[in-house]
Structure formats: C-alpha cells, structure tokens
Amino acid sequence: MFQTIWWFNTLVIAVFWIWAALWSFAAVMTYLSFRTYGRSFAILVIAVTLGAVIWTTDWETVYIDSQLWLHREEFAALVAKNESGRPLTVPWWMEYLSIDGQVRQQGPVLYLPVFEDSWRAETGSGIAHLPDLPDSRTLVQTAAGDMGSPVRDLGNGWWWVE
C-alpha cells in the first residue's frame, strides 16, 4: 500500500504525529486547569511512553513477522506444493505481501519479493524458504540486478533476505 501512495507517506505520518501531540497537550492542559496534577502527569508519562515505543519500533520487522505468524499454515502449504512439484497458487492475501503478487521459484528456494527498487530493480529484499540451513555462500536473487543473502531467521525454514 505504501508503495502506491509513497507521495503522501510523510504527510500522513506527520499529520498523525501532530494530531497525537496536540491531543496529548490538550489533555495535560485540561487536567492542569482542573488542578489534578497527578492525572496530568500520568497522561504526560503515558503519551511520552507510547510515542517513544511507536517511534523506536522497527515496523518492517513487525509486519513481516506478523504475516508469517498469522499465515503459517498457508506458508507451510506453499512449501509442500513446491516440494511435491505441484503448481504454486498464491493465496489472495499473499498477492499483497509480494510486490508482484507471485512466489518465485529459484531451484528448491521459494522467494517472495517484498521490497524492490522500483526504478532500476537493482536492489531488493524479501522472504525466502530455504530447504537447508544457509551459510555464507547462500545467495538468492532478490532483483534483476541483485543477489541477496539470508540475514534473519523467520522460523520453519523461512528467512528474511537482503
């Protein structure tokens, strides 16, 4: 979704941050005007804590991990189809996870391109199922001009590849 509306990403995120800051400020000021200093301090601490958690979270990692956790049966079925040699049919939700809506076969490796340089296709990253544990020589083609290596284990043979 963000790749489609990339022009407005920064604007939308800035509007949400400004909205949250203004409402937090208004709540703190309202409690201060009623001389309820404890509630005012509690609201301030909650707002700062939530802001820090949201700001420091790696949302790409959260998104990828949650997709694998929520759809682990479908990912396992995809691997089973690949190992048995049947044609790979992508579930409807996976069309939105993969940038081109497809799972690419590279020998025994399955690869879902999640991010790719849309201008020149020189860099990419995604999710790959590797039948064996990877080593330093394990490479997966992530884009037309890029080979990536597994960098993070996602479980059940699935790896994040950059």
Side-chain angles (χ1 to χ4, degrees):
M1 180 172 97
F2 284 119
Q3 188 175 16
T4 305
I5 60 170
W6 68 273
W7 294 72
F8 302 108
N9 281 353
T10 306
L11 178 64
V12 170
I13 290 171
V15 166
F16 281 122
W17 276 106
I18 291 169
W19 178 84
L22 287 176
W23 276 101
S24 299
F25 179 75
V28 168
M29 289 310 198
T30 301
Y31 281 128
L32 282 176
S33 70
F34 293 140
R35 296 181 190 260
T36 52
Y37 302 115
R39 288 184 184 177
S40 177
F41 181 71
I43 292 294
L44 183 62
V45 168
I46 289 169
V48 168
T49 303
L50 284 175
V53 167
I54 290 170
W55 187 267
T56 59
T57 300
D58 182 7
W59 291 106
E60 177 183 300
T61 301
V62 170
Y63 176 70
I64 297 300
D65 290 349
S66 65
Q67 289 298 316
L68 276 141
W69 182 76
L70 290 170
H71 302 290
R72 59 183 167 266
E73 292 86 15
E74 288 94 343
F75 277 101
L78 199 60
V79 171
K81 283 181 184 178
N82 184 47
E83 289 174 350
S84 66
R86 293 181 296 186
L88 299 176
T89 54
V90 180
W92 67 269
W93 62 267
M94 199 176 285
E95 292 178 4
Y96 300 103
L97 179 62
S98 173
I99 60 169
D100 60 359
Q102 299 295 320
V103 175
R104 300 177 185 167
Q105 283 183 287
Q106 299 177 16
V109 174
L110 290 178
Y111 178 69
L112 284 86
V114 177
F115 300 108
E116 191 172 294
D117 176 12
S118 59
W119 184 47
R120 296 181 293 185
E122 290 181 349
T123 59
S125 56
I127 303 169
H129 182 268
L130 305 171
D132 301 318
L133 283 176
D135 56 15
S136 61
R137 297 177 312 231
T138 304
L139 294 175
V140 177
Q141 184 172 4
T142 58
D146 186 32
M147 298 296 283
S149 59
V151 293
R152 191 167 62 87
D153 186 7
L154 301 172
N156 297 329
W158 293 95
W159 288 79
W160 181 252
V161 178
E162 292 181 341

